[in-house]
């Protein structure tokens, strides 16, 4: 914020879209900076952000600019942003992240590792791997370390923690916080 528009433009070129996506995730008024960029570049930066951070950034721009930027995003980014926006502000779903790795519970350990590696490029939140059933419902979770040290013949199910805490997306944030305190 201490830089003028010209200096920021130079900084934007030096940092590149990916790094700007990371930086803008921590800026309280990202809209101020998105507005001074060409829409194509602003959309690329929003697309580089995690969906929950992109939602926060888009809330700081006018509805017209938000709509224009959304049109320029890839379908997956649009879907993730719309998903988070579909929840009321007091629902825990509005605070969720789409930055996670999930694997099918019926995979052998070796294939589970391959699935993790394939998804890790897009999702850097890999310390906990979420395990899903064939119908994509939550089944449990695996600690990354447990999957890494597992032998090829280890049944994946033996690594899964099925008593992992969870909430439903429509639950009120206040109720979820109170449940943790209790």
């Amino acid at each position: 914020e201490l830089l003028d528009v010209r200096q920021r433009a130079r900084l934007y070129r030096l940092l590149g879209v990916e790094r700007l996506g990371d930086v803008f995730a921590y800026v309280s008024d990202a809209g101020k900076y998105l507005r001074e960029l060409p829409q194509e570049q602003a959309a690329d930066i929003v697309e580089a952000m995690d969906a929950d951070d992109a939602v926060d950034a888009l809330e700081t721009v006018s509805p017209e600019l938000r709509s224009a930027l959304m049109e320029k995003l890839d379908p997956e980014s649009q879907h993730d942003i719309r998903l988070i926006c579909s929840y009321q502000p007091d629902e825990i779903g509005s605070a969720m992240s789409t930055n996670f790795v999930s694997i099918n519970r019926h995979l052998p350990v070796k294939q589970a590792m391959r699935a993790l590696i394939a998804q890790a490029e897009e999702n850097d939140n890999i310390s906990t791997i979420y395990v899903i059933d064939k119908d994509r419902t939550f089944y449990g979770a695996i600690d990354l370390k447990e999957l890494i040290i597992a032998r090829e013949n280890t049944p994946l199910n033996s690594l899964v923690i099925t008593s992992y805490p969870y909430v439903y997306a429509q639950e009120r944030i206040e109720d979820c916080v109170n449940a943790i305190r209790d």
Side-chain angles (χ1 to χ4, degrees):
E1 67 183 34
L2 300 177
L3 303 176
D4 63 33
V5 175
R6 193 175 52 64
Q7 292 169 320
R8 281 195 298 272
R10 183 165 183 241
L11 181 63
Y12 298 152
R13 282 191 305 278
L14 292 171
L15 291 178
V17 170
E18 291 297 321
R19 186 162 284 154
L20 284 171
D22 293 339
V23 170
F24 278 35
Y26 293 97
V27 175
S28 60
D29 185 11
K32 172 182 174 181
Y33 306 106
L34 290 172
R35 286 188 294 273
E36 62 190 28
L37 293 166
Q39 284 186 5
E40 202 65 48
Q41 186 180 7
D44 288 344
I45 291 167
V46 170
E47 196 171 274
M49 300 170 83
D50 287 344
D52 54 326
D53 295 326
V55 167
D56 294 341
L58 289 171
E59 287 176 349
T60 65
V61 299
S62 69
E64 296 80 22
L65 180 56
R66 184 178 315 125
S67 181
L69 294 176
M70 283 292 291
E71 287 179 18
K72 295 180 185 320
L73 301 179
D74 66 58
E76 184 181 351
S77 296
Q78 288 180 8
H79 174 268
D80 290 348
I81 290 169
R82 286 192 176 110
L83 174 64
I84 293 171
C85 289
S86 70
Y87 298 100
Q88 297 298 316
D90 67 335
E91 293 177 330
I92 197 71
S94 69
M96 72 181 167
S97 173
T98 58
N99 180 0
F100 63 91
V101 171
S102 65
I103 58 173
N104 188 293
R105 78 182 197 122
H106 300 290
L107 292 177
V109 166
K110 193 171 185 176
Q111 284 183 317
M113 280 299 295
R114 285 190 184 125
L116 164 64
I117 292 166
Q119 294 176 57
E121 185 177 340
E122 292 293 318
N123 301 293
D124 58 358
N125 188 3
I126 63 170
S127 59
T128 301
I129 299 136
Y130 296 97
V131 182
I132 56 175
D133 266 324
K134 286 182 181 177
D135 64 358
R136 300 198 47 82
T137 58
F138 175 75
Y139 178 74
I142 300 174
D143 182 68
L144 174 62
K145 181 181 178 186
E146 295 299 318
L147 184 59
I148 290 172
I149 62 174
R151 299 289 176 232
E152 187 175 348
N153 59 350
T154 304
L156 190 65
N157 237 15
S158 69
L159 306 175
V160 179
I161 303 165
T162 55
S163 61
Y164 197 79
Y166 64 91
V167 295
Y168 293 101
Q170 288 80 19
E171 289 185 56
R172 292 185 38 203
I173 293 171
E174 182 179 328
D175 295 341
C176 295
V177 171
N178 289 338
I180 292 171
R181 288 184 188 149
D182 294 341

